[in-house]
Amino acid sequence: MDEKDSIISSSSSTTTGTTSSAIIDPMAGLNGIKNYTFKNWAGIFSCKPQLFFQPSNIDEVTKIILNAYKEGKTFTVIGSGHSPSDLCCANPNGWLVNLDKLNRVLDFKVYDGGNYADITVEAGLRVYKLNEILGAKGYTIQNLGSISEQSVAGITATGTHGSSAFHGLVSSQYVNLTIINGKGELIYLDSETNQDVFRAALLSLGKIGVIVKATIRAIPKYKIKSTQEVIHFETLLEKWDDIWTSSEFIRCWWYPYTRKCVLWRGNKTTEQVHEVTRKSWWGTKFGRIFYECLLWISVKIYPGITPFVESFVFNRQYGAVETFGNGDVAIQDSIDGLNMDCLFSQFVDEWGCPLLNGPEVLRSLDHSIQQAASNKEFYVHVPIEVRCSNTTLPPHQLDYSHRTSTSKGAVYGNILRPYLDATPRDLQYAEHVTNNQLTLYINATIYRPFGANTPIHKWFTLFEHTMGAAGGKPHWAKNFLGDVSMLPKGVKPKEKYLDYEMRGMASEIIKWYGEDLIKWQQIRKQQDPNGVFLANKDWCIRNGILEI
Ligand SMILES: Cc1cc2nc3c(=O)[nH]c(=O)nc-3n(C[C@H](O)[C@H](O)[C@H](O)COP(=O)(O)OP(=O)(O)OC[C@H]3O[C@@H](n4cnc5c(N)ncnc54)[C@H](O)[C@@H]3O)c2cc1C
């Protein structure tokens, strides 16, 4: 079995889980596994639920929910466990439910003379499998994040995004969802049927219902012709107004200690696939181990060498010469172009703010990073990812009949904003895309070389203050920290926190989401009156998504 295929194997350690014995649990009447330890992808967070379930059909999911409902039990449903935070953990008396075995294709229909197609799948299917299945039919997912390991349910549940001024959250490609709510009821959701619940479930954090099926809108398979340029940090800021809409897909990796960035821009093309000399130094066995060793030394022995390590690695990977306007060109299958090598286990704190605030934010972060290094206060790892998306939505579905194989932009699966969409609310849709519509994402990555925890608290706290002041909000899945001063009234902070432990952001989250959060909470309560999905209640309280 491919390691990516399942988060559990029968007897030994796997990507994210270990188990020792399978039992028939009398209460559930289902195969619940005891002594299962879940670990998220980064290996930072783990938990040992009372029972672990991997149902293989909808009836089994319903049974688990009904048993939990009846017995006053709680559980967390997980996909591939790629969320960096402790979002997926369950309390020791709670259960964990994983849908890896719900991975069938249920339907496939082509529309508009082949301009798009809707594929209905069971929601535990991994995205890389979906890519293969669609590819065999001549179609592909429209836009993706940096990886394809996630599950179809998980990728929508936290607001996963790629990087494009012409596409929004991955959830905007979802035409419908079928959930089983906390009462065991199977409910179909789309833009017309149960619209409010659909808006809540599109970004649900697993708290509205177990998503068992989803229909995703795909487009004909495409290739991406990309250029990759090494540019100066100042060039990025000077060209800010023009860069983001210059290509359909775009991302920028910022290396503060070298004062350089790598700018990757791509468009759909009909040209033949042609990989160029874009060799990856850290893609080789030697480069990768050497890089991780250097990081380990900088984390465990001498933090002061971090800027030198990062500059050395940058030069090995990209070279020292600036290539703005003259980058290397590659033509790749869309998935290969959009996904990337994320290297090592890592902490990530990603926030989205209006793109117009970008230059000011980046200058401020740059100043803080340089200052911190000269004061030996903290060091950052690289790259800091700078990306964008366009989560503004048209007032009605668009006419897709004139699309060609290289047309830019989304064929929307739905045009509803999820209640918990973390991107700025007041950006307005316009047919002609401009920077005014865009969300800027900045992703601060800190590696854990060979699993060693690098201190993050000082850097992430500063980062969060800067992003918050720029109108930003955190990505729900990531390692945002917050502060004990943001805990809800009546919630006592812990006496001691680990450096990387999330304190919580309740007061800010309540302020930021306002009426939308209240609506989401109401729907949550209706769909899950007994709190079956609250096996990680602590996470929910510290972040204000539950009333206490
Ligand atoms: C290396 C790496 C790269 C990443 N790149 C990006 C990126 O480019 N852009 C981006 O936005 N994010 C990115 N992420 C974050 C990732 O896309 C999200 O965390 C995503 O939610 C993970 O999907 P998953 O299937 O692993 O879900 P999990 O992490 O297992 O679960 C995430 C949430 O989904 C809920 N859930 C899972 N299954 C179901 C279900 N069947 N029904 C209801 N709820 C469910 C869970 O309860 C939980 O709240 C990245 C993460 C990693 C580790």
Side-chain angles (χ1 to χ4, degrees), residues 77 79-83 146 150-151 153-154 157-158 160-161 205 211 387 475:
V77 57
S80 73
H82 271 65
S83 291
S146 308
Q150 309 96 323
S151 65
T158 59
T160 295
H161 63 86
L205 305 172
I211 301 170
R387 300 186 281 179
H475 187 307

Side-chain angles (χ1 to χ4, degrees), residues 7 38 40-42 75-85 87-88 97-99 123-127 144-163 169-170 178-179 201 204-213 338 340-344 346 348 350 385 387 441 443 475-478 533 536:
I7 68 162
F38 163 80
N40 71 345
W41 172 82
F75 69 80
T76 305
V77 57
I78 55 168
S80 73
H82 271 65
S83 291
S85 75
L87 176 66
C88 288
V97 178
N98 165 256
L99 298 198
L125 184 74
R126 298 295 181 86
V127 175
L144 277 172
S146 308
I147 54 165
S148 289
E149 269 71 30
Q150 309 96 323
S151 65
V152 160
I155 204 170
T156 182
T158 59
T160 295
H161 63 86
S163 192
L169 301 182
V170 173
T178 302
I179 64 166
S204 69
L205 305 172
K207 305 289 172 281
I208 303 290
V210 175
I211 301 170
V212 286
K213 290 189 227 171
L338 297 173
M340 56 180 265
D341 182 355
C342 293
L343 290 167
F344 321 110
Q346 54 198 253
V348 278
E350 181 174 47
E385 276 184 288
R387 300 186 281 179
Y441 292 102
N443 195 32
H475 187 307
W476 287 105
K478 307 226 171 167
F533 303 128
N536 58 357

Side-chain angles (χ1 to χ4, degrees), residues 164-166 239-250 265 267 355 388 390 408 432-438:
S164 166
F166 300 85
K239 307 280 179 194
W240 190 262
D241 292 346
D242 304 320
I243 274 180
W244 294 99
T245 52
S246 63
S247 299
E248 181 169 10
F249 303 100
I250 179 162
R265 293 189 269 186
N267 281 309
L355 185 115
C388 75
N390 184 346
K408 282 193 176 83
H432 179 67
V433 177
T434 63
N435 286 354
N436 301 355
Q437 291 159 262
L438 305 185

Side-chain angles (χ1 to χ4, degrees), residues 507-524:
S507 59
E508 295 303 292
I509 284 171
I510 292 164
K511 221 167 23 191
W512 287 326
Y513 288 89
E515 286 299 315
D516 279 345
L517 177 60
I518 292 169
K519 189 77 194 161
W520 186 87
Q521 286 171 336
Q522 284 165 352
I523 293 166
R524 216 209 73 70

Side-chain angles (χ1 to χ4, degrees), residues 25 64 88 93 107 118 126 197 204 243 313 377 494 527:
D25 175 61
I64 294 166
C88 288
N93 292 318
D107 197 15
D118 289 352
R126 298 295 181 86
V197 188
S204 69
I243 274 180
V313 168
E377 235 183 306
K494 287 167 64 170
Q527 298 303 320

Side-chain angles (χ1 to χ4, degrees), residues 4-186:
K4 288 197 278 187
D5 280 345
S6 174
I7 68 162
I8 186 166
S9 69
S10 57
S11 60
S12 58
S13 168
T14 61
T15 339
T16 51
T18 54
T19 179
S20 61
S21 59
I23 58 133
I24 304 293
D25 175 61
M27 281 202 309
L30 290 160
N31 284 324
I33 292 164
K34 274 189 169 171
N35 298 323
Y36 174 81
T37 304
F38 163 80
K39 247 189 194 179
N40 71 345
W41 172 82
I44 304 164
F45 295 101
S46 63
C47 69
K48 215 169 178 167
Q50 190 193 46
L51 287 173
F52 175 75
F53 293 96
Q54 275 195 314
S56 31
N57 57 50
I58 288 179
D59 283 352
E60 287 181 12
V61 178
T62 310
K63 265 192 204 163
I64 294 166
I65 295 178
L66 286 175
N67 271 286
Y69 186 74
K70 210 169 70 203
E71 305 294 337
K73 281 288 186 185
T74 58
F75 69 80
T76 305
V77 57
I78 55 168
S80 73
H82 271 65
S83 291
S85 75
D86 58 343
L87 176 66
C88 288
C89 287
N91 68 65
N93 292 318
W95 299 342
L96 214 57
V97 178
N98 165 256
L99 298 198
D100 270 5
K101 291 183 180 164
L102 259 81
N103 59 3
R104 283 163 284 242
V105 177
L106 304 172
D107 197 15
F108 179 76
K109 282 198 187 93
V110 171
Y111 292 97
D112 218 355
N115 274 344
Y116 64 91
D118 289 352
I119 186 162
T120 303
V121 297
E122 290 180 330
L125 184 74
R126 298 295 181 86
V127 175
Y128 68 89
K129 282 275 182 203
L130 176 69
N131 295 339
E132 284 168 23
I133 293 161
L134 280 171
K137 294 178 186 299
Y139 284 80
T140 189
I141 193 159
Q142 302 187 47
N143 186 23
L144 277 172
S146 308
I147 54 165
S148 289
E149 269 71 30
Q150 309 96 323
S151 65
V152 160
I155 204 170
T156 182
T158 59
T160 295
H161 63 86
S163 192
S164 166
F166 300 85
H167 295 267
L169 301 182
V170 173
S171 67
S172 66
Q173 301 169 43
Y174 283 55
V175 181
N176 61 55
L177 296 173
T178 302
I179 64 166
I180 309 178
N181 71 12
K183 298 175 271 186
E185 299 162 346
L186 187 75

